[in-house]
Amino acid sequence: MEFRLLGTVSITAEAGELPLGPAKRRSVLAALLLRANSVVPVDRLIDTVWAEDPPARARTVVQGHVSRLRALFEQGGADDYGVELATRSQAYELRMPDQLLDTHRFEELVQLAGHQKHPGDAVLMLREALALWRGPALTGTVASEPLLVAAQALEETRLVTVEQLAAAYGRLGEHTRAAAVLRAEAAANPLRESLTAALMLSLYRAGHQSDALDCYHRTRGLLADELGVDPGPALRAAYEAVLRGLPTAGPQTVAIAEGPDRGERSDRPAGTDGTAPTGEFTPSAAPHRGADTGPARTAGRPAVTGPGDAAEAAGHPGVPRPGTGVPAAEPPFTGAAIGPGLPRGGTPEWPAPDLLPRTPRGFLGRERELDELDAAVADARVAIVTGPAGVGKTALALQWAHLRAPRYPDGVLYADLRGFSTDEGLDTVDVLREFLHALGVPPGRVPESPTAAAALYRSLTEDRALLVVLDNVRAADRAGPLLPAGARSAAVVTSRLRLGGLVVSELARPVPLGVLGVDESAALLAAAVGADRVAAEPAAARLLASLCDGLPLALRVTAAQLAARPHWRLADLAAELADEQRRLALLSVGCAGPDGQGVAAALHLTVHGLPPEAARLFRQIGALPGPDLDRNAAAALLERPPAVAAEALERLCDAHLLTEYAPGRHTLHDLVRLYARGLRPDDEALLRLLDHYMVTAMAATKTAEPDDLPCCTLPEGARRPPATPHFAGRDAALLWYAAERDNLAAAVAAARAAGHHDRAWRLALLQWPYMLWNSHDGWVPLLESAVDSAAREDDPDAESRARALLGWLLTQDGRLREALVHLRLAPDLAARAGEPSSEATALVNLAIALDTTSGVTAESLAHTARAIALVQGGDDVITELLALEHRAQQLLAAGDPAGSLDCARRGLALDGDTVNGLLGVRHSMLTATMGAALLDLGEHAAAETALTLARELGLSHGYKETVQRADAELRRLRAAVGGVPGSA
C-alpha cells in the first residue's frame, strides 16, 4: 500500500489505485497524512475541507468521509500494512509506517543525499527523490488555506532539491546536465533568483556565456516590471562572475548512471548476464565449484564443492547440498542454544559454505566496474548491479565474488531468484531454507514460519563474515530478508530493475552496468571466434559490434553464429544483421520464444513482468518514429493522463527498457526498439502521436509568437491528446522545439510514409518560429517534404506557405537560384487559395530574394507595395509590419530616405508598445531603419535617439541583427558629426 501527496492525493494498493472520490474526501485524507501518526482535531479537518465558512453539518460530513476512508483502507488491505484510522475523542489519528508515505521517502532520500561523500551518489538519490513527484503537491484537494500552505511548503522543498541536484551535477563537472535540470524550473519560476543564478553559472561553466547573460537580463527586466526591485546579491554575484570570466573547477572524471547509456562506458570487454555464455554458463542450475577450480580461500580451509562434500570431509556423511531434499544427519553445534541445538554466536562445527557457480567463461575486462563493486561493498556492504537484460550483470557479480571470496572466511551463499522468468521465481522462504541448510541447520530444525526462519538467519549471520550473492532479483522485498546481518558481511544483488527500495532501506549502493564500446565489443568477438578472424576484417568487426548495440549477450550469440559458420566472413553476417526485419531472429540460438536464448528471449522475460500500463506503453512505443519521448508523448500513445504515463515510463526505466538520458526525456537502444516494433502497436498509435505533436506545436507557436495569425488549423478527424503542455513563455516554447526537433522530423517522415500528408505538412510548417531563429540549421529537406505533402493534398495555401518559407531559408543560405524557383510560385498559389496574408508573405520573401540577387529593382519594389496593399488595415499586423519594414529598407537603399522614413513611421504607428516575439523584432528593425533614414536626412539628434532605442530593443529581444545594424549606423553618425553622438 502506498500513500501519495506529491501529485494527485491517492492511495495505491496491490489491486491498483483506490477510488477516493470527491475533493473533500481527498482533502480529509491529505490533512491526516500531513500529520500521520499524530492526533488531528475534527475542527482542523473542517478548516481544511472548506475554503470558506463551513456549513452547519460540517462535522457530520467529515465523519462521513472518515467512514468512507476506513472502508477504502479495508478494501486495500490496510491491516496487512499496519495502517489504522483511529478515533480519539473529537479527533482522528492515522497510524501507519512512515515508509508508506511518498513525502517521507522523498525527505529520506534528500537527507541521505546530503550525507553522501561522492556527488555521483548524491545525484542518484536526488534524482530518485524528484522522481516521486507526479505533479503539483496535493492535487485534487480543496483550495483551503491549510492545504495551500502545505502545498507551497512541499513545492519549496522540491525546488530546493532541484537546486541541490544541479549543484551535485556541477560538482561532477556535468554543467550541461545541471543547466538542463534548472532551465525548465527557472522558466516556471522566473522570479526565483536562486534558480536563475544557478542556471547562469551552469550555462557559463558549460561554455554558454551569452545564454547566461541573457538569463540575467530577462530576470532583471521581470523583477523591475513585476516587483519594481533590482536583482538581489546572489543574482548580481552570478552576473559579475560571468562578466569577469571567473575560473571554474574542472569536471571530475566520474560517471553517473542508472542503466545503459548513462555515464561512461567500460573501456574493456565484459562477460554476459545470466544467460549462458556460448551455451555453457547457467547460473540458475547453481553448480558447485570443484576443488580444481581455484585455490582454497583461507589457510586451513578446504576447497570443497558444497556443504555435502564439506560434511563428508568433516565426518558428517549424508548431509545434502541445499535444496536436494536428501535426508541428512543432524550435525552437532556449539555455543549457547537459541533453539534445539542451534547456536547464538560462536563458531558452529560446520564447514564454511560455498554455493557459488563456477567462474564465468570468457569474462574480459570490466576492471572499472569491478573496482566500483569494491568501493560499493566497502562503503555500503550491499551493492546492486543493475542494467538491461544481457548486459553481463551475473557474470560481473560472479567474477567479483570469486575474486573477493577470500575476504569472507565464513563462506559464500548464492541464489538465483529467477525474478525475470515466466513463472513467479523462487520464493524468499525457499531460499532462506537453502541458506539455513548451508549454514548447518538440519532440515528438521528449519522453522516453518517465514518470520521465524528470517530471524534465525539473522542470528546465524550476525557474527560471521559472509558474502551473499543474490542473482536476478525483481523486488527489494525479495532480497531484504536474505541479506546477512553481520557488519563483516557483504551482499551483491543483480537486477534488471533499479531496486530503489534497497537503496532506501539498506543504503545499498547501485553499480550500473552499461553496454560495451565498439573496441571492447570487437575484443569480445575476438576472444570467442579467434583474434586472427577479427583482425582480418576489423571494419566488419566494428560494424558487428555496432549492430549488436554493445550488448554482451548479443555479441556472444553473434560469436556462436560465426562459430557455426566457419566459411562465413564477418562482413557476411554483418550484412545479414543490417536487415532490421531479421536482426533479432539472427541474435538468438535454440528454440524460438521465451525458452530460447538470445536478445528477444531476454527482452520477452523483462516485458513479461511489467505492470499492465507499462507493458501496454512498451508495445505502443513500437510506433515511435523519433529517438525519444516525454511523458506527454507517452500519454498520447497510452490515451491516458500524463501522470499515468509518467508512472509507466518510470517502470520501463526501472526495467532498463528505457533510459532517462535527461530529465523527463526517455530513449531506448536499437535492439530494444526493434523488439518493441515487433510487438505491433495498435493501428491508431501513430496517428495519436502525430496529433499530439501537432496540437503541442500549435500551442508552442501561439506562445512563441502570440501576435501572429496561426499558420494552420487542425485537419479533419484530428484528436486532441489527453493533455497539452503549458508553456510559461516564449523561451519555454522555443526550448520545446529544440528538444523535439528530431522527433518532429521523424514524425513528418512517418506521416508521409503512412499517407498522412495532412499531418506531414502541418508538422513541418508549425516549426517556423524556431526556424526563424535558427535559419542555417539544415531545414531545407524537411520543407521540401512539406511542399510535396501540401501538393499531394491539393492545398494551395499550404503549398504557398511551405514554398515561401523554404524560399526564405534558401535565400538565407545563399542558394538564390533555388529560392526563386519556389518564391515565384508561392504568390500565385496563395492568390488561388484566396489567402491575402499568405500572398503578402510570399511577395515579401520574393522581394528579399530579388534584392539579394541584384539589388533593389522596380520589380521588387512592386512586390512590397502589393504586399502592403493586401494586408493594410486588416488583422494581420505581423505581415503588414514585415512588408513595411522591408519596403522601408528598399527605399533607403534606393536613395529615398524620406519615403523610407514614412514607411518606418507607418509601421511603428501600428502598435505603440513593443512586445516579445516577432512584433518586438519588427519594431526594433523599423526603429533602426527610421534612425538610418533620419541620419541620411541630416537630422542627427533624432537619428541618435532612434538608433539608441533600436539598439536597446535589439538587446532586449535578443535580436543581434538589429544591434549590429544600430551599432554600424551609430558609427556612421559619429563620423558625420565629427565626434561623439549628442554633439550635433
Side-chain angles (χ1 to χ4, degrees):
M1 178 171 273
E2 183 180 6
F3 295 85
R4 297 175 179 173
L5 294 175
L6 304 179
T8 300
V9 175
S10 60
I11 309 173
T12 302
E14 287 186 7
E17 188 170 317
L18 299 180
L20 278 177
K24 286 185 171 59
R25 189 172 303 142
R26 292 181 191 271
S27 302
V28 171
L29 175 62
L32 293 169
L33 289 173
L34 287 167
R35 300 191 63 188
N37 299 308
S38 299
V39 174
V40 183
V42 174
D43 290 342
R44 183 180 181 89
L45 292 177
I46 291 173
D47 292 340
T48 301
V49 170
W50 281 273
E52 299 177 354
D53 293 338
R57 54 190 295 273
R59 188 175 296 269
T60 302
V61 173
V62 168
Q63 290 170 346
H65 287 310
V66 170
S67 176
R68 180 55 185 155
L69 285 174
R70 284 186 173 132
L72 285 171
F73 287 176
E74 183 177 354
Q75 176 184 338
D79 289 345
D80 297 336
Y81 295 91
V83 177
E84 178 189 7
L85 181 48
T87 302
R88 297 285 181 267
S89 183
Q90 299 299 311
Y92 297 100
E93 180 182 3
L94 179 52
R95 297 175 175 175
M96 58 182 289
D98 291 337
Q99 61 267 27
L100 298 183
L101 185 57
D102 60 354
T103 53
H104 173 80
R105 297 198 304 277
F106 174 76
E107 293 168 0
E108 191 171 43
L109 282 166
V110 172
Q111 290 175 0
L112 287 172
H115 290 93
Q116 299 307 305
K117 297 178 181 178
H118 197 293
D121 300 328
V123 163
L124 294 173
M125 292 181 181
L126 292 172
R127 283 171 59 86
E128 187 167 351
L130 290 169
L132 293 171
W133 285 75
R134 295 169 175 84
L138 307 185
T139 296
T141 59
V142 174
S144 62
E145 183 177 357
L147 292 181
L148 289 174
V149 169
Q152 185 177 1
L154 288 169
E155 175 64 10
E156 176 65 24
T157 63
R158 188 186 71 83
L159 290 175
V160 169
T161 305
V162 169
E163 293 172 351
Q164 292 173 349
L165 175 59
Y169 272 132
R171 291 196 296 277
L172 287 167
E174 297 281 352
H175 303 301
T176 300
R177 286 188 175 184
V181 167
L182 292 165
R183 196 184 292 272
E185 299 297 344
N189 301 272
L191 298 180
R192 187 180 177 93
E193 294 186 47
S194 58
L195 275 174
T196 303
L199 175 58
M200 286 175 59
L201 292 174
S202 296
L203 287 169
Y204 164 61
R205 289 165 180 158
H208 303 293
Q209 184 176 15
S210 61
D211 292 341
L213 293 174
D214 285 346
C215 284
Y216 175 79
H217 290 302
R218 281 197 304 271
T219 305
R220 182 187 63 178
L222 277 173
L223 290 170
D225 294 343
E226 300 289 335
L227 305 177
V229 299
D230 292 328
L235 196 54
R236 290 199 308 272
Y239 179 58
E240 291 171 5
V242 175
L243 279 181
R244 292 166 56 192
L246 294 182
T248 60
Q252 303 174 31
T253 55
V254 180
I256 308 171
E258 295 179 33
D261 283 353
R262 291 185 181 170
E264 299 175 0
R265 291 180 173 178
S266 168
D267 292 332
R268 303 170 185 88
T272 67
D273 202 341
T275 306
T278 63
E280 298 177 12
F281 172 37
T282 311
S284 59
H288 293 72
R289 294 188 300 168
D292 60 343
T293 61
R297 288 180 178 151
T298 56
R301 177 180 167 188
V304 296
T305 61
D309 299 321
E312 293 176 13
H316 299 290
V319 179
R321 288 197 296 265
T324 61
V326 179
E330 297 182 4
F333 287 83
T334 61
I338 60 172
L342 303 182
R344 179 189 300 277
T347 302
E349 293 181 358
W350 191 257
D354 181 359
L355 303 187
L356 275 182
R358 62 173 172 78
T359 304
R361 294 182 180 175
F363 187 91
L364 297 173
R366 294 287 198 188
E367 274 82 3
R368 179 172 63 85
E369 288 84 354
L370 290 169
D371 290 343
E372 288 178 1
L373 259 178
D374 280 335
V377 169
D379 291 345
R381 294 199 309 112
V382 180
I384 311 173
V385 181
T386 65
V391 81
K393 301 180 294 294
T394 297
L396 178 71
L398 290 176
Q399 181 75 7
W400 183 89
H402 279 281
L403 292 171
R404 303 295 181 255
R407 299 179 182 177
Y408 304 96
D410 291 323
V412 183
L413 303 176
Y414 169 88
D416 180 358
L417 272 64
R418 302 204 299 269
F420 304 95
S421 60
T422 52
D423 56 27
E424 294 299 318
L426 285 186
D427 189 76
T428 302
V429 175
D430 293 334
V431 180
L432 266 177
R433 292 192 180 104
E434 290 200 5
F435 281 5
L436 288 172
H437 294 167
L439 292 172
V441 180
R445 296 187 182 179
V446 174
E448 289 296 326
S449 162
T451 303
L456 176 57
Y457 178 70
R458 287 195 300 271
S459 175
L460 290 177
T461 59
E462 188 172 5
D463 295 324
R464 303 192 190 195
L466 285 166
L467 174 61
V468 177
V469 180
L470 304 175
D471 201 9
N472 291 309
V473 176
R474 175 171 287 282
D477 59 357
R478 295 287 182 96
L482 302 173
L483 299 177
R488 296 182 297 139
S489 296
V492 175
V493 178
T494 78
S495 181
R496 299 179 190 181
L497 306 179
R498 290 182 291 191
L499 300 184
L502 281 184
V503 177
V504 175
S505 62
E506 304 293 336
L507 296 182
R509 178 72 61 80
V511 180
L513 194 60
V515 297
L516 300 174
V518 175
D519 292 337
E520 296 79 13
S521 300
L524 183 58
L525 284 176
V529 303
D532 293 343
R533 197 170 176 186
V534 170
E537 298 180 79
R542 294 175 67 86
L543 179 57
L544 279 175
S546 176
L547 292 169
C548 289
D549 227 6
L551 197 67
L553 172 60
L555 290 163
R556 287 183 176 273
V557 174
T558 298
Q561 299 279 16
L562 289 170
R565 299 171 176 84
H567 58 287
W568 275 37
R569 298 179 304 133
L570 271 63
D572 296 330
L573 183 55
E576 295 288 324
L577 286 175
D579 182 357
E580 291 188 350
Q581 304 299 319
R582 300 191 59 216
R583 190 178 305 168
L584 285 176
L586 288 168
L587 293 177
S588 64
V589 292
C591 62
D595 296 327
Q597 294 184 26
V599 176
L603 290 172
H604 172 86
L605 294 177
T606 302
V607 174
H608 175 78
L610 291 172
E613 290 286 9
R616 180 167 175 263
L617 176 58
F618 186 72
R619 288 194 298 273
Q620 306 295 50
I621 283 176
L624 186 71
D628 63 8
L629 77 165
D630 62 7
R631 57 186 280 175
N632 294 302
L637 287 171
L638 271 179
E639 293 185 286
R640 301 279 278 142
V644 176
E647 177 71 19
L649 286 170
E650 187 66 16
R651 298 289 74 79
L652 293 178
C653 286
D654 281 345
H656 291 91
L657 293 169
L658 291 183
T659 299
E660 188 182 13
Y661 71 94
R665 304 211 64 85
H666 304 79
T667 190
L668 62 167
H669 282 296
D670 288 343
L671 292 178
V672 178
R673 186 187 301 273
L674 290 176
Y675 182 77
R677 287 176 182 169
L679 298 180
R680 296 185 180 178
D682 67 60
D683 294 337
E684 299 296 313
L686 176 61
L687 263 179
R688 291 197 301 272
L689 190 64
L690 296 177
D691 289 350
H692 153 71
Y693 285 135
M694 191 165 50
V695 171
T696 307
M698 292 176 75
T701 302
K702 182 63 177 174
T703 303
E705 302 300 347
D707 300 297
D708 204 3
L709 297 179
C711 72
C712 64
T713 58
L714 289 175
E716 184 178 352
R719 288 171 293 188
R720 291 196 170 271
T724 302
H726 169 72
F727 298 105
R730 184 166 175 277
D731 287 348
L734 293 178
L735 280 174
W736 179 83
Y737 279 120
E740 298 288 355
R741 177 175 176 179
D742 290 343
N743 287 324
L744 292 172
V748 171
R752 284 169 53 79
H756 302 308
H757 292 285
D758 55 345
R759 269 81 169 173
W761 71 258
R762 286 175 168 88
L763 286 169
L765 283 189
L766 281 167
Q767 299 177 64
W768 71 264
Y770 190 65
M771 293 180 187
L772 293 188
W773 294 89
N774 301 272
S775 58
H776 298 289
D777 246 8
W779 299 102
V780 170
L782 180 72
L783 287 174
E784 288 175 339
S785 297
V787 168
D788 180 71
S789 288
R792 289 172 183 268
E793 285 290 298
D794 193 21
D795 189 331
D797 182 50
E799 187 178 350
S800 171
R801 290 175 181 270
R803 288 187 184 276
L805 182 54
L806 175 56
W808 181 80
L809 287 167
L810 288 167
T811 302
Q812 299 300 303
D813 283 345
R815 298 160 64 177
L816 297 170
R817 180 176 298 178
E818 297 171 70
L820 288 172
V821 170
H822 295 284
L823 292 171
R824 290 196 182 279
L825 293 172
D828 290 340
L829 285 165
R832 177 155 64 92
E835 293 291 341
S837 290
S838 297
E839 185 179 355
T841 300
L843 287 167
V844 172
N845 288 357
L846 175 57
I848 292 172
L850 289 170
D851 291 346
T852 306
T853 303
S854 53
V856 178
T857 63
E859 180 189 356
S860 67
L861 283 168
H863 291 325
T864 54
R866 170 66 177 159
I868 293 169
L870 282 168
V871 293
Q872 190 169 16
D875 57 355
D876 191 356
V877 176
I878 292 293
T879 303
E880 187 174 357
L881 278 172
L882 172 67
L884 286 167
E885 174 202 329
H886 190 66
R887 185 165 181 82
Q889 292 188 47
Q890 284 180 316
L891 293 172
L892 190 64
D896 184 5
S900 175
L901 182 60
D902 177 63
C903 272
R905 284 175 171 165
R906 284 168 59 192
L908 292 171
L910 288 177
D911 191 320
D913 297 323
T914 59
V915 295
N916 284 332
L918 282 180
L919 190 57
V921 170
R922 299 300 172 213
H923 271 267
S924 72
M925 291 296 287
L926 280 166
T927 305
T929 302
M930 181 175 68
L934 289 167
L935 178 55
D936 284 357
L937 291 169
E939 299 182 30
H940 295 163
E944 178 189 355
T945 301
L947 292 170
T948 302
L949 176 59
R951 189 178 192 282
E952 292 175 354
L953 289 172
L955 285 172
S956 66
H957 294 296
Y959 197 57
K960 296 178 181 178
E961 185 177 340
T962 298
V963 177
Q964 293 168 354
R965 188 172 174 212
D967 284 341
E969 295 296 337
L970 284 169
R971 288 194 295 271
R972 192 162 69 92
L973 175 59
R974 293 189 188 97
V977 300
V980 179
S983 61

